[in-house]
Every structure is written in C-alpha cells, then in structure tokens.
Amino acid sequence: MSAESERVQKAAKDKLKDVDGEGNAMSDVSMTGKARSETGGVLASIVTLTNSTDEKASYAVQVDFLDSDGKTVETRCIGKEDLEPGERAQAYAISHAPPEPKLSAKLVKAQRY
C-alpha cells in the first residue's frame, strides 16, 4: 500500500470514529462483491462513491466483514477525498482474513465531509 493510500485510510478511520449511526452519506455509496476466483479466494468488494452534492466533498466508509453468525471479524475503513459534484470514484474493501470460513461484507457507515 502506498503512503498516500495509508494516509487516506487513516483519515477515513479518524473521521468515522465519532460518527453516530450510519453517517450522512449512505445514499451516496454502493458496494458490489468481486468473485473470489478473481481475488485468490479472499473477500473483496468494490465500493462506489458518488458525490450527490453541489460542492466538493470527501468520503469515509466503513465495511465490516462478518462470519456466518453475523459477528464482525474484521473492519476496513476506506476513503476518497475531494470529489467534485457528481463525480464517482471507486475503492476496494479487501479482507485480510483467510478464505475459510467464508465471510460476508456489510456497508456499516458512510460519512461525507
């Protein structure tokens, strides 16, 4: 991971730390899974962010990876900064857990700032 990616990821985690509930941007975020055959068996999701405002905005998103009992096994925070109005961007939420047991991804929080 590049130093810039690490910085953005840390900034996203910091922004989400004090967010109550789902945040203010869930409607600006969608998530689709990647086939495990394309990811070496690990769980990876593509997170798409769309700036629906009329001002430049940044986004912080939390994705939890859950086991079959619904327990959070892993959390990933991702972010995109300075999206222009109407601009779309994508980021990956990738689990670092082993392929077994199988996990599922859940979009938990999305904050626009």
Side-chain angles (χ1 to χ4, degrees):
M1 180 183 295
S2 73
E4 178 64 9
S5 293
E6 284 186 38
R7 185 194 66 73
V8 171
Q9 188 176 44
K10 182 181 181 325
K13 187 175 184 178
D14 289 345
K15 288 291 181 189
L16 292 168
K17 165 175 61 172
D18 296 323
V19 172
D20 289 326
E22 295 181 333
N24 64 8
M26 289 291 277
S27 63
D28 289 353
V29 181
S30 64
M31 189 169 66
T32 55
K34 292 280 291 175
R36 289 178 192 264
S37 61
E38 297 175 16
T39 64
V42 298
L43 182 58
S45 295
I46 302 169
V47 178
T48 302
L49 306 122
T50 304
N51 181 359
S52 65
T53 72
D54 58 0
E55 297 179 6
K56 188 182 282 190
S58 297
Y59 289 83
V61 176
Q62 178 180 327
V63 176
D64 283 355
F65 294 96
L66 312 174
D67 65 15
S68 60
D69 294 326
K71 179 182 171 206
T72 300
V73 174
E74 185 177 11
T75 296
R76 291 277 168 233
C77 294
I78 56 175
K80 287 291 182 178
E81 296 179 328
D82 300 324
L83 297 183
E84 295 293 335
E87 184 179 358
R88 291 177 80 174
Q90 292 185 321
Y92 286 95
I94 302 170
S95 170
H96 292 221
E100 293 296 331
K102 295 221 184 289
L103 303 177
S104 60
K106 179 181 179 185
L107 181 60
V108 177
K109 292 182 183 181
Q111 185 72 15
R112 179 176 44 259
Y113 60 97

